Amino acid sequence: MSRRGLLRALGAAGAGAAGLALAGCGVPAAFVQPGDRAGRDMSARDKSLDFANWPLYIDVDDDDASKRPTLEAFTKHSGISVRYTEEINDNDEFFGKISPALMNRQETGRDLIVVSDWMAARLVALGWVQAMDRDRQPNVARYLDPQLLSPAFDKGRLHSVPWQSGITGIAYNRRKLGREIRHTEDLWAADLRGKVTLLSGLDESFSLLMQADGVDITRWTANDFHRLCDRVERLVRKKHLRRFTGNDYIKDLSTGDVLACQAYSGDVIQLQADNPDIEFVVPEEGAELWAESLMIPNLARHKRNAEALVDYYYEPEVAAELAAWVNYVCPVPAARDVLADSKDEELAALAEDPLIFPDDDMRKRLVISRDITSEERPELTERWNAIVGL
């Protein structure tokens, strides 16, 4: 199971309720002014840092799963030890862990975290994360994918740096379906009735479906969202949709219970290893490009050490090693050349995989969506969850 698949399994059931409960946290009283975000940085005399990440989201040694080669190489090179924890299983759940401290101007005990962009947007809006010093991050400045450089929630990526990226598109079994899928509209064909699934999470699902209606998802409106919901409700009433899923689509697609579904690019790479008939499509009308980003919480004790680790993962050789293991869209395009030059045939083949290094044609159809604001979230979540059954 992929890392993102695991998070769906662990988090899908509770994410809707948690999102509603926490949506009100963006109140003005919780906002932290820029001048109050930095703590005493102990990096110079304490060569360590605490790094919180998702499960299965970093390279591990083939013979010893407790070893993480890129982290060990960083420590050897820099002298900075890393306390690495796989404690993030769901964005809202993790937000619940760190929000009491951040709201009360206290440290979280973590120097570096990885969250999905929609959660990163919430943290930036609240002023709960620090801007990074790009003068100390020459690799980030040089190698960060230009398409990921300036999301609406964090212009210039001052507070966030993509750890990995990915695409929400369509997966389908071409052999069993007997034809190609090129458009999101193709999912609504009569012969797919009861054989299609959509993602249950609001933030994961709505952008692709809006693009099918020709909506510019960088500036979608509430009217666009409700029009989308009207359509999905009709599909539910007609029993066209088999169900809404977390990562369950992986099993359904593998068994043939589902012939086409909304899916994540990284999951499909792993499915294709076992079943070459599974294909992933970026529809002609477009798909959502997303990222999960590294951030430094307020009052972190080892900010400079954290900035050094972020920059280390933007060295093309290191980014290539990580990409070869996690199989999501690499935010360092220069890593492609590193893999292409590998004498290992499997590694060299990854350089040609558009789900890790999208080609120019695919990139033209990838868009980073505008995030749901804290003011919009309660109403939109309530409507979507009523449709999905959360």
Side-chain angles (χ1 to χ4, degrees), residues 14-15 17-25 54 87-104 106-108 110 113-115 118-119 122-123 126 128:
L20 281 172
L22 294 166
C25 289
W54 302 81
E87 65 168 317
I88 307 176
N89 292 311
D90 174 79
N91 285 288
D92 278 319
E93 177 187 53
F94 186 66
F95 183 83
K97 284 185 179 180
I98 63 175
S99 59
L102 292 167
M103 187 180 297
N104 290 291
Q106 298 170 352
E107 62 183 77
T108 66
R110 302 159 182 90
I113 62 176
V114 177
V115 295
W118 63 268
M119 179 56 70
R122 185 185 296 183
L123 296 177
L126 287 165
W128 287 3

Side-chain angles (χ1 to χ4, degrees), residues 79-354:
I80 300 170
S81 62
V82 182
R83 290 182 288 271
Y84 184 82
T85 55
E86 296 183 331
E87 65 168 317
I88 307 176
N89 292 311
D90 174 79
N91 285 288
D92 278 319
E93 177 187 53
F94 186 66
F95 183 83
K97 284 185 179 180
I98 63 175
S99 59
L102 292 167
M103 187 180 297
N104 290 291
R105 279 62 168 177
Q106 298 170 352
E107 62 183 77
T108 66
R110 302 159 182 90
D111 301 298
L112 197 60
I113 62 176
V114 177
V115 295
S116 300
D117 268 355
W118 63 268
M119 179 56 70
R122 185 185 296 183
L123 296 177
V124 170
L126 287 165
W128 287 3
V129 288
Q130 302 181 62
M132 298 187 203
D133 185 350
R134 289 290 183 260
D135 289 339
R136 295 180 177 275
Q137 298 179 315
N139 291 324
V140 174
R142 180 178 180 183
Y143 294 118
L144 173 59
D145 187 340
Q147 199 163 6
L148 296 170
L149 182 59
S150 194
F153 73 87
D154 189 20
K155 291 295 185 182
R157 285 283 184 188
L158 300 177
H159 305 86
S160 62
V161 174
W163 172 249
Q164 294 292 287
S165 184
I167 305 165
T168 302
I170 297 170
Y172 73 104
N173 189 314
R174 183 173 181 175
R175 183 179 62 81
K176 290 188 177 181
L177 183 58
R179 65 174 187 275
E180 287 188 343
I181 285 181
R182 299 185 61 185
H183 304 274
T184 303
E185 288 289 329
D186 295 341
L187 295 176
W188 320 139
D191 63 344
L192 278 173
R193 183 175 182 269
K195 295 289 187 177
V196 176
T197 62
L198 297 179
L199 295 170
S200 60
L202 169 59
D203 296 273
E204 291 80 12
S205 57
F206 77 93
S207 295
L208 178 75
L209 301 176
M210 278 188 186
Q211 285 168 293
D213 289 335
V215 174
D216 178 354
I217 61 171
T218 66
R219 53 184 182 182
W220 59 269
T221 67
N223 286 337
D224 294 325
F225 176 81
H226 288 298
R227 186 167 60 251
L228 158 70
C229 288
D230 291 342
R231 166 177 279 204
V232 176
E233 283 179 333
R234 289 194 293 271
L235 291 166
V236 170
R237 287 196 298 270
K238 293 178 180 178
K239 300 187 184 303
H240 189 89
L241 301 177
R242 180 179 179 86
R243 60 189 181 118
F244 296 88
T245 73
N247 76 305
D248 313 35
Y249 70 83
I250 295 174
K251 180 180 178 182
D252 290 346
L253 195 59
S254 298
T255 61
D257 290 334
V258 162
L259 295 183
C261 60
Q262 201 172 20
Y264 304 119
S265 55
D267 287 344
V268 175
I269 290 176
Q270 297 185 33
L271 282 170
Q272 288 172 333
D274 297 321
N275 186 348
D277 294 323
I278 302 297
E279 295 199 13
F280 184 85
V281 178
V282 172
E284 294 293 329
E285 57 271 17
E288 183 187 12
L289 178 69
W290 47 262
E292 286 167 326
S293 292
L294 297 147
M295 309 187 88
I296 300 176
N298 289 355
L299 305 180
R301 291 188 176 189
H302 307 95
K303 182 174 185 284
R304 287 189 178 181
N305 292 345
E307 288 169 338
L309 181 62
V310 173
D311 199 55
Y312 163 77
Y313 275 101
Y314 270 69
E315 294 179 13
E317 294 77 12
V318 179
E321 189 172 353
L322 182 61
W325 201 88
V326 299
N327 290 169
Y328 274 88
V329 175
C330 180
V332 183
R336 181 183 182 278
D337 292 336
V338 176
L339 290 172
D341 291 339
S342 174
K343 294 180 181 180
D344 184 304
E345 290 186 4
E346 290 186 6
L347 290 179
L350 293 177
E352 303 304 319
D353 193 326

